[in-house]
Amino acid sequence: MKKRLLASLLALFNLVTLGIYVRRLFKKEVTVLAYHRVLDVGNCSQYKYDRELISATPEMFDAQLQFLKRHYDVIDLVTLNDRLRNNSITGKELVITFDDGFSDNYSNAFPLLKSHGIPGVFFVSTGYIGAQSTFWFNDVVCAINSADQLKFKLGKHDVDLSASTDNREQCIQQTLRYLKKSPNSDRIQAIGSLFKQLNYDLHNTPELEHPMTWDNVKEMHAAGMEIGSHTVSHPILSRLTEQELHDEIYNSKSILESQLNTPCNSIAYPVGGYDEFNQKVETLCQSAGYNFGLSYVSGINSPTLDNRYNMKRLHVEEFIQMPEFKLMLCLPELYSR
């Protein structure tokens, strides 16, 4: 609320845009925005999937693009790599990124980017592309939201929040935290067990929740969008064995290069907090030939990008209105963690 009030106050006196120009002049930082989905589900109480993955409605995304086009040089990571190599960073650079590869990236985000002549970088989990199902974390949210009662075993822990349906959000967060901190094999087993206990139907996923198809990805790439890796199966990289980690990082790159007939230069770490990747992950990504590794740690990047495999991004989320979107760009420290 304080950020929203500050944003409104600064907008009233037209100070945000001035602040962006002053910051750009003196700091010459590299700004990267992180989106997941561009989707409008309104106030629909029947929406059972993960609403936190919605970054903006199409209308809001269009307004954001209009602002960015006026005040930034929106580029992709291939261009950023060239400018770093030539020592030609201006401070106007901004990169728009999307994680996961939901179908609305193609149906909603891509047409708007194309209409504004703006490139985007789409990090896709290759094992999901073309699937008639959704991502495991999205299924977990839907399973809990759809359950008749919230009583189940999660690994060795008993979860019993069935006394009150008001506890569904608490249950979702508790379950996702457990899964993200578990070794990969335990996570996979726990998810399967959870779905079985909650009688969740994995074969009834609406098209809205599907990932993109390879035809979608290829069309976007041909139109100038950059496609990067988000691993194969969207695991938590710090919870993998050596072989699993190697396979996720190398195989996703190989699949993308085979499908698109072009080098895959960047990777975004799934979940991407400091607990979800580590130095081993960064080193392996560099060895695999990626030019950049993007985290989901909120923040902004220095003009020299001293560590290209630990890049920060500012999170764009559904509840952010235009004044606060501008404030985030003007004072990213308020949104850094």
Side-chain angles (χ1 to χ4, degrees):
M1 183 60 70
K2 291 179 181 178
K3 293 175 186 175
R4 191 161 295 173
L5 289 172
L6 177 60
S8 299
L9 182 63
L10 292 175
L12 183 64
F13 294 99
N14 295 317
L15 294 176
V16 176
T17 303
L18 176 62
I20 289 173
Y21 277 98
V22 170
R23 183 180 194 101
R24 201 166 63 196
L25 180 64
F26 289 100
K27 290 183 176 286
K28 292 192 175 181
E29 297 154 318
V30 176
T31 304
V32 185
L33 299 183
Y35 292 80
H36 283 88
R37 309 188 66 179
V38 173
L39 190 64
D40 189 356
V41 295
N43 296 317
C44 182
S45 60
Q46 300 303 310
Y47 187 73
K48 301 296 185 182
Y49 290 91
D50 191 352
R51 186 151 188 161
E52 290 190 5
L53 293 173
I54 300 175
S55 301
T57 63
E59 181 182 16
M60 184 57 67
F61 187 54
D62 186 36
Q64 291 167 359
L65 291 180
Q66 290 180 46
F67 179 82
L68 296 174
K69 188 174 182 178
R70 286 197 304 270
H71 300 292
Y72 286 90
D73 182 10
V74 185
I75 61 174
D76 59 19
L77 291 169
V78 173
T79 304
L80 178 62
N81 188 54
D82 290 340
R83 293 190 185 182
L84 286 167
R85 188 170 57 241
N86 296 328
N87 195 27
S88 58
I89 295 294
T90 65
K92 292 181 63 177
E93 289 81 6
L94 183 140
V95 182
I96 296 173
T97 68
F98 281 83
D99 285 4
D100 300 331
F102 279 95
S103 60
D104 52 81
N105 287 187
Y106 172 77
S107 59
N108 293 336
F110 170 51
L112 289 169
L113 287 164
K114 189 165 59 170
S115 70
H116 288 288
I118 291 175
V121 183
F122 293 83
F123 294 106
V124 301
S125 294
T126 56
Y128 283 97
I129 299 301
Q132 301 298 301
S133 55
T134 193
F135 298 86
W136 66 264
F137 42 90
N138 204 29
D139 266 327
V140 167
V141 173
C142 187
I144 294 173
N145 277 331
S146 304
D148 293 331
Q149 63 174 9
L150 302 179
K151 184 176 182 179
F152 54 89
K153 184 176 285 292
L154 191 60
K156 297 179 180 179
H157 305 283
D158 291 316
V159 176
D160 188 357
L161 298 173
S162 54
S164 172
T165 56
D166 294 336
N167 288 326
R168 287 189 190 271
E169 184 58 34
Q170 176 188 345
C171 184
I172 288 169
Q173 297 306 322
Q174 178 180 337
T175 301
L176 289 175
R177 276 196 303 271
Y178 173 85
L179 293 172
K180 290 172 183 178
K181 291 183 179 298
S182 300
N184 196 48
S185 58
D186 292 351
R187 176 184 64 84
I188 294 170
Q189 184 176 13
I191 291 171
S193 175
L194 174 68
F195 293 162
K196 186 175 181 180
Q197 293 175 76
L198 297 182
N199 296 314
Y200 180 63
D201 184 3
L202 276 169
H203 305 290
N204 193 31
T205 307
E207 286 189 23
L208 188 67
E209 304 303 320
H210 288 179
M212 293 186 285
T213 66
W214 280 113
D215 284 344
N216 296 157
V217 174
K218 290 175 181 178
E219 181 183 340
M220 290 164 64
H221 176 255
M225 303 297 135
E226 181 179 349
I227 309 299
S229 166
H230 203 42
T231 70
V232 176
S233 65
H234 202 290
I236 310 303
L237 295 177
S238 59
R239 310 289 184 242
L240 301 183
T241 65
E242 297 276 353
Q243 187 60 53
E244 288 171 336
L245 182 60
H246 181 280
D247 291 347
E248 290 285 342
I249 289 174
Y250 276 80
N251 290 354
S252 59
K253 189 175 194 296
S254 175
I255 291 168
L256 286 169
E257 291 177 343
S258 175
Q259 288 283 347
L260 302 176
N261 196 29
T262 192
C264 175
N265 296 301
S266 55
I267 183 170
Y269 311 134
V271 183
Y274 283 132
D275 194 43
E276 284 78 42
F277 73 100
N278 50 35
Q279 184 62 53
K280 183 189 298 184
V281 171
E282 294 180 37
T283 301
L284 194 58
C285 288
Q286 184 173 9
S287 299
Y290 294 104
N291 291 326
F292 300 103
L294 282 71
S295 75
Y296 203 67
V297 176
S298 183
I300 204 158
N301 303 284
S302 71
T304 56
L305 273 179
D306 297 326
N307 189 349
R308 294 180 175 210
Y309 301 93
N310 187 0
M311 288 180 67
K312 296 179 179 180
R313 296 185 281 176
L314 295 172
H315 309 162
V316 184
E317 298 171 336
E318 183 185 19
F319 62 82
I320 293 180
Q321 299 302 310
M322 278 306 296
E324 195 173 354
F325 178 78
K326 297 174 184 178
L327 177 65
M328 180 174 67
L329 294 166
C330 176
L331 295 173
E333 291 82 3
L334 294 177
Y335 298 83
S336 301
R337 302 189 184 103

